[in-house]
Amino acid sequence: MKLNIALLAGDGIGPEVIDQAVKVSNAVAQKFDHEISWTPALTGAAAIDAVGEPYPDETHEVCANADAVLFGAIGHPRFDNDPSAKVRPEQGLLKMRQKLGLFANVRPTFTFPSLIDKSPLKRERIEGTDLIILRELTGGVYFGERGRKDDGDTAFDTMTYQRFEVERLARKGFEMALKRGKKLCCVDKANVLEASRLWRETVQALEKEYPEVEVSYEFVDAVAMRLIQWPKGYDVIITANLFGDILTDEASVISGSMGLMPSSSVGSEVSLYEPIHGSYPQAAGKDIANPLATVLSAAMMFEDLDLAKEAKAIRDVVNKSLAEGVVTEDLADGGKAYKTSEVGDWLAANI
């Protein structure tokens, strides 16, 4: 099979972890007789520095014409520390999601047998955890009307949702639940927010179309607690943009490291695959960042391209690296810490 993949390294450690995912993907392609054409493009702070825009039209064309997009990370401290900056790297990510129609962020949360005791949570609480959080990506407070009034002393951000935005995400959640444990939890704040009440009534209206799926409705603050107390109680969670942003980062600690969790952002045409961690600028250029989340994101990419054996080969070799201690400093725990590039080389060689 010939694959055309857009490659958006982005900022910070993005280029370093992306390099390892490319190594591993090329090894898989060689093993299973595929041909991958990688097309690099600029985004984030790197794009602002080069052309003044965080998501240039040229980058959009590359992504729109690809079979999939493999993405590193976005963000730079010089923008974080300047509240007056008019153009920011993160604007590129929001623009990319909108223009590519990436409406659903898929974040799996699972445990690794060899790392179960490195989680800050007790083994008996997390062992066997296997859930997916489906976060809506193109609506909500990040895209609603915002501004200042009263001479700048009052600021507002508006959470706005249309029924079709909720319905398309909910349908994807129901379909995922049917292939898994047949449980779906809609997370909202319907006791306070009108937008959440729209979420709840939309999901309730869909229940009759998916009678095999057991549906529950929980408030986001309760779920924030239960994810830590009882993560094995969840199968598929669907939720709004803001709530999903927070809950998915909270859930990442279950595995023991944010550097281990992959994700995808799914649209009607092309999908994007990225690690859940940020650009980690403090580690940029030091060859110490954990590349496994990006490598596992590549596995999700192969899976979605109907290449299940290829995806399994990547997951298997990642588990092998963890079991044998071929890991970066965040997971070394007093043992040998491998460089980012060394982990990538080892994974590719073992495939």
Side-chain angles (χ1 to χ4, degrees):
M1 179 184 285
K2 290 186 177 181
L3 300 172
N4 176 27
I5 309 299
L7 199 63
L8 275 56
D11 307 321
I13 61 171
E16 297 168 65
V17 294
I18 279 287
D19 283 350
Q20 313 321 310
V22 169
K23 286 179 191 175
V24 173
S25 297
N26 285 338
V28 165
Q30 184 176 351
K31 180 180 178 71
F32 290 93
D33 197 26
H34 302 302
E35 181 183 328
I36 303 178
S37 174
W38 302 98
T39 308
L42 290 169
T43 191
I48 294 173
D49 291 343
V51 298
E53 292 286 336
Y55 183 64
D57 291 341
E58 295 83 356
T59 297
H60 178 67
E61 287 303 311
V62 169
C63 294
N65 293 312
D67 295 312
V69 180
L70 190 60
F71 175 67
I74 225 170
H76 194 284
R78 75 173 185 272
F79 296 95
D80 297 339
N81 297 328
D82 182 7
S84 64
K86 301 299 183 187
V87 181
R88 297 176 175 277
E90 292 77 11
Q91 291 170 346
L93 193 54
L94 297 178
K95 187 176 179 182
M96 187 194 317
R97 289 169 180 168
Q98 265 194 326
K99 291 190 73 172
L100 291 175
L102 303 176
F103 66 87
N105 182 229
V106 182
R107 286 203 187 179
T109 296
F110 48 87
T111 54
F112 299 85
S114 59
L115 297 180
I116 197 80
D117 293 317
K118 292 190 176 181
S119 171
L121 304 178
K122 294 178 181 178
R123 171 188 283 263
E124 58 267 26
R125 291 196 183 277
I126 64 170
E127 196 166 29
T129 295
D130 180 13
L131 63 92
I132 288 179
I133 299 178
L134 202 58
R135 167 192 168 194
E136 200 285 324
L137 273 187
T138 59
V141 72
Y142 294 162
F143 292 94
E145 185 181 352
R146 68 189 60 188
R148 295 281 186 104
K149 57 185 182 180
D150 301 331
D151 295 325
D153 291 335
T154 301
F156 62 92
D157 297 271
T158 309
M159 180 183 286
T160 303
Y161 270 110
Q162 299 179 68
R163 192 179 300 275
F164 84 91
E165 294 175 310
V166 181
E167 184 171 320
R168 68 184 176 184
L169 185 90
R171 285 191 183 280
K172 188 158 192 67
F174 275 109
E175 289 160 9
M176 282 186 168
L178 283 172
K179 297 175 183 177
R180 292 171 47 88
K182 294 185 172 59
K183 291 200 303 181
L184 181 77
C185 180
C186 176
V187 177
D188 58 36
K189 193 65 177 169
N191 57 335
V192 175
L193 301 176
E194 191 62 36
S196 283
R197 287 191 271 274
L198 175 67
W199 269 77
R200 191 167 287 212
E201 68 184 46
T202 302
V203 177
Q204 287 172 338
L206 290 174
E207 283 190 45
K208 61 180 180 296
E209 296 183 33
Y210 302 90
E212 295 176 58
V213 178
E214 177 189 339
V215 185
S216 61
Y217 300 86
E218 296 186 30
F219 298 143
V220 63
D221 43 344
V223 174
M225 176 182 65
R226 289 173 188 153
L227 263 180
I228 300 302
Q229 290 181 317
W230 191 50
K232 288 181 282 189
Y234 294 105
D235 180 27
V236 176
I237 290 173
I238 58 171
T239 193
N241 206 337
L242 174 62
F243 301 153
D245 195 2
I246 297 166
L247 291 177
T248 47
D249 275 12
E250 181 193 15
S252 72
V253 305
I254 293 170
S255 70
S257 171
M258 191 179 282
L260 292 170
M261 289 290 102
S263 76
S264 65
S265 295
V266 180
S268 54
E269 301 295 330
V270 67
S271 295
L272 177 145
Y273 301 85
E274 62 176 313
I276 72 165
H277 60 67
S279 59
Y280 192 16
Q282 302 91 330
K286 297 180 180 178
D287 204 18
I288 60 172
N290 187 342
L292 295 184
T294 313
V295 171
L296 289 170
S297 296
M300 290 183 74
M301 177 181 74
F302 281 109
E303 186 89 56
D304 287 352
L305 292 170
D306 294 324
L307 299 172
K309 289 180 181 178
E310 290 81 346
K312 184 177 185 301
I314 294 176
R315 294 187 185 108
D316 287 347
V317 80
V318 166
N319 275 317
K320 184 179 180 185
S321 75
L322 293 170
E324 296 186 16
V326 183
V327 294
T328 44
E329 64 177 30
D330 59 313
L331 296 175
D333 198 23
K336 179 180 178 180
Y338 287 75
K339 298 293 187 183
T340 307
S341 54
E342 291 174 334
V343 173
D345 291 341
W346 189 95
L347 295 169
N350 276 266
I351 283 175

